[in-house]
Amino acid sequence: MMRRVCWSITFLFLTACSPEPVHETRFMMGTLVEFTVEGVPGSTAMKAIADAASEMTRIESKMTIYGQRDNPVKQFNRTPVRTDFTFDDELDSLLGKAVDIETSSEHAFHPALAALNRLWGFSLDPPPSTPPKKEVIRQLLPPASCLKRTGDHRWQRMTSSCQIDLGGIAKGYALERGMAQLIKHGIRHALINAGGDIAGIGNNKGKPWRIGIRHPRNPNALLGWIYLNDHECVVTSGDYERFFLHGGKRYHHILDPQTGYPATRAISATVIADKATLADGWSTALFVMGIRGLERLQQQGMAALVVKPDGTLVMNKAMQKRFHSIGQP
Ligand code: ADP
Ligand code: MG
């Protein structure tokens, strides 16, 4: 009798402590965002996911250069050149990080390509089917380091072509803030996948989260996979997400700030970091830099891989230690 009571208590305890994982998908930031939450009751998970999603949506509308609604980024882009504009803590800090990545990536990452990105139109509906004119690209191409911090929270743009677009880093930041919301609700095991930008905490029923890295030319195949550690993120930038074909050539949404044309040194670039903001900014930078960016990321403690235009996979040492090819255990 006693034994049966103990068994029932153990059973109750186990069911209370190991609810089924909750999966929830929402459309935001121009992509499907998938939440997986483990180890808490469904109602807690749903409340936490709702809060995370509204935080991510808040960031998107505060930072996007698209749509009708005004925001501080659009206001800055309308401010006359060489005139101070004051950002709040959040944008001042994110812009600071974006400019740091610009400097450390030899200007492969450029946080002020808004005019050029709008011209190319990859985020417009409908997307374009022909490249813009060479002369217009030249006019709208901003110089390197055209954003200047002039004082406490104060920034200026140096030329009229210099207009902020945080599209290469804001999704990572939103992911970081979304995960912070889940943690605030007491969640210890979760994964958020924002269209290939993935952040994880804890594990998946006691095993590390296993993340596949997509093959850039075969949507149904993987290049390989990695295990994500607690509080890590893996972000991939690829030329297959937003693109059009014209005259047999692929034109895609990651631009080389030196030429104003889509970058040609990679077809896919993946970075693992402990902060999603960094992983996102650097995956865009690495995509533009190609394999010469791998060593820079190694120095900064980030695992990284590049798929070259000929399809060859190249990794830095940090990635070699944790990348599993298909077929490997
Ligand atoms: P995705 O947003 O598709 O995951 P990325 O993180 O690589 O891909 O960001 C691409 C976006 O970044 C573009 O849509 C554009 O807004 C912006 N962008 C394009 N080229 C650059 C660049 N060289 N540096 C910084 N941002 C860029
Ligand atoms: Mg990015």
Side-chain angles (χ1 to χ4, degrees), residues 11 13 113 146 219 271 318:
F11 178 73
F13 181 75
L113 296 180
C146 69
V271 174

Side-chain angles (χ1 to χ4, degrees), residues 121-142:
F122 290 104
S123 299
L124 300 178
D125 194 15
S129 52
T130 51
K133 291 205 163 60
K134 209 187 265 172
E135 311 79 64
V136 191
I137 291 175
R138 214 173 293 139
Q139 272 167 20
L140 295 185
L141 186 61

